[in-house]
Amino acid sequence: MAFHKRVHTTAASRLRQDYLRIVKDPVPYITALPLPSNILEWHYVVRGPENTPYTGGYYHGKLVFPKDFPFKPPRIFMITPNGRFKVNTRLCLSISDFHPDTWNPAWSVSTILTGLLSFMVETSPTLGSIDTSEFQKRQLATMSGPFNLKDKIFCELFPDIVEEILAKMKERGEEREEQNLTQNSGNVKGGVAGATREGNNGLISSTLVNICVIIGFAAFAYTVKCVLKAVDNS
């Protein structure tokens, strides 16, 4: 697999280095990689940090780099509804193309993503930000997983996170089912047989989740292999 779009040699070289650096030393709470077809477009997923309104959420976004990167900054977008930033809207940050005067060519993709996360957990307003209550942000965090599963690019680039989301959704469903069975058990005869069936279903569900996780890791490894091959061939 090779990058189809012709890009400036300096930009491509720098972004290849940044990709290899992120693979070796990931940014906390963030997974990011370029499109196999275009190294100038990167997609990222922010896992909501603990002790924030975003805990448990998965926030998909993208960075669009100019052909003369690193001498000019990228455009930054958030795609998943999050209560902090408007979706599919260029974000006005000191690390984005809204402020080329404050951009530093020494900053890497890791620096950009770290700065984005730092600003996300703050409350400072800027162009592209919105004022949403913490309760609403927590609600959006719960909804973020199912929302992202509808996005084709998200599912293709982040199969391991897809499996992680599916596993969490399944666990929540099993918890609700278990609560319902417990509440109804006092009114139904043959509780022992029902408990046996529940145990069997739990074992089967657990096995399916493990299989999904294994498949997800394998798919992720394949994706990384394809991107690395594309980087080497570009």
Side-chain angles (χ1 to χ4, degrees):
M1 185 184 301
F3 292 110
H4 300 310
K5 291 189 176 182
R6 297 178 62 86
V7 298
H8 194 282
T9 303
T10 302
S13 177
R14 174 61 177 273
L15 290 171
R16 282 196 295 268
Q17 294 175 10
D18 283 0
Y19 175 72
L20 295 174
R21 186 179 297 114
I22 284 180
V23 170
K24 183 178 180 180
D25 186 19
V27 179
Y29 301 105
I30 300 178
T31 301
L33 69 162
L35 288 178
S37 59
N38 181 13
I39 199 172
L40 294 180
E41 181 174 326
W42 285 54
H43 286 251
Y44 64 85
V45 178
V46 176
R47 287 179 173 85
E50 296 84 356
N51 303 317
T52 71
Y54 311 103
T55 303
Y58 297 86
Y59 305 97
H60 175 208
K62 66 179 180 179
L63 310 175
V64 181
F65 294 91
K67 293 182 179 180
D68 43 5
F69 179 82
F71 305 107
K72 290 185 179 180
R75 288 176 286 163
I76 304 177
F77 299 86
M78 184 69 76
I79 298 172
T80 306
N82 54 88
R84 173 62 167 134
F85 302 120
K86 295 179 181 179
V87 297
N88 299 312
T89 300
R90 289 167 58 213
L91 302 182
C92 178
L93 306 174
S94 60
I95 52 176
S96 74
D97 66 329
F98 266 95
H99 293 286
D101 53 320
T102 62
W103 171 253
N104 186 337
W107 289 344
S108 64
V109 175
S110 295
T111 305
I112 296 167
L113 294 173
T114 300
L116 172 64
L117 177 60
S118 177
F119 192 81
M120 182 175 178
V121 298
E122 294 177 359
T123 57
S124 303
T126 188
L127 185 63
S129 66
I130 53 180
D131 184 16
T132 307
S133 70
E134 289 196 1
F135 175 74
Q136 290 172 312
K137 290 176 182 176
R138 290 191 176 94
Q139 284 185 314
L140 289 170
T142 302
M143 299 166 56
S144 64
F147 176 88
N148 290 323
L149 295 182
K150 300 176 183 178
D151 189 308
K152 182 179 178 181
I153 293 179
F154 178 91
C155 293
E156 289 179 349
L157 291 180
F158 308 106
D160 59 323
I161 299 180
V162 168
E163 296 301 334
E164 187 177 319
I165 292 172
L166 290 173
K168 285 189 176 182
M169 291 172 61
K170 196 172 187 66
E171 287 173 4
R172 287 196 294 266
E174 288 173 351
E175 287 174 358
R176 287 194 295 269
E177 182 179 353
E178 183 178 351
Q179 291 173 359
N180 291 336
L181 288 172
T182 301
Q183 292 172 357
N184 295 332
S185 62
N187 300 324
V188 179
K189 295 181 179 180
V192 174
T196 302
R197 288 193 299 271
E198 180 182 346
N200 291 336
N201 289 338
L203 179 60
I204 294 173
S205 298
S206 177
T207 302
L208 290 175
V209 169
N210 289 334
I211 292 174
C212 288
V213 171
I214 292 172
I215 294 174
F217 278 120
F220 175 69
Y222 177 77
T223 301
V224 171
K225 180 180 179 181
C226 288
V227 174
L228 286 172
K229 184 176 180 181
V231 167
D232 291 336
N233 294 333
S234 62

